[in-house]
Amino acid sequence: MALNRLSKNDTLEYKKYLGYTRLSVAVHCWFPSGNKTEPIITMIKFKEPEGDIITIRDIYNQYSEQSCYSGDAIVEFQCQILYVNRKRSVVLFYYPKDLKWEMTFLN
């Protein structure tokens, strides 16, 4: 899987995680009503480089931070998941404009 290259998205957000591989992910979440519009994540699915589709339901310590890069809103979710019987730190990126999710492993 290739690393994201800096191009039109030459932003602090991409520079911060440059060197980490980003995976496209499917995220099952729900958005609470009211003034808090950040989604609550309940499940993540992604495809490993070997081709296996992995489902993660154990998500811990969710922390989110909203940012705006080049005029586009991005929500970063830093959390831990249970993957291959150990906790792994990940960052999920939610792009509300494109309704797209990406994930990178930090360890």
Side-chain angles (χ1 to χ4, degrees):
M1 192 154 279
L3 297 176
N4 286 330
R5 294 181 178 84
L6 295 177
S7 60
K8 70 175 185 143
N9 293 322
D10 188 9
T11 63
L12 293 175
E13 180 257 349
Y14 271 86
K15 289 178 184 175
K16 183 176 173 182
Y17 296 104
L18 184 65
Y20 292 102
T21 302
R22 293 224 183 166
L23 303 170
S24 292
V25 294
V27 175
H28 183 265
C29 63
W30 57 277
F31 291 84
S33 63
N35 58 359
K36 185 175 179 179
T37 58
E38 296 175 7
I40 296 173
I41 301 167
T42 58
M43 183 176 62
I44 303 168
K45 283 192 176 196
F46 64 95
K47 189 174 186 179
E48 287 186 320
E50 297 83 25
D52 296 331
I53 296 179
I54 304 298
T55 301
I56 304 290
R57 286 190 171 88
D58 298 317
I59 303 165
Y60 307 99
N61 303 328
Q62 293 184 22
Y63 166 77
S64 66
E65 178 181 327
Q66 287 189 330
S67 304
C68 192
Y69 298 104
S70 301
D72 292 334
I74 297 173
V75 183
E76 290 180 17
F77 292 90
Q78 297 179 3
C79 56
Q80 294 180 331
I81 61 173
L82 188 61
Y83 176 62
V84 191
N85 292 327
R86 76 179 249 241
K87 281 190 179 178
R88 304 275 309 265
S89 294
V90 298
V91 179
L92 293 164
F93 302 94
Y94 174 55
Y95 303 91
K97 181 180 174 184
D98 302 326
L99 300 176
K100 181 174 94 170
W101 290 86
E102 290 182 335
M103 177 179 74
T104 187
F105 284 96
L106 296 180
N107 64 356

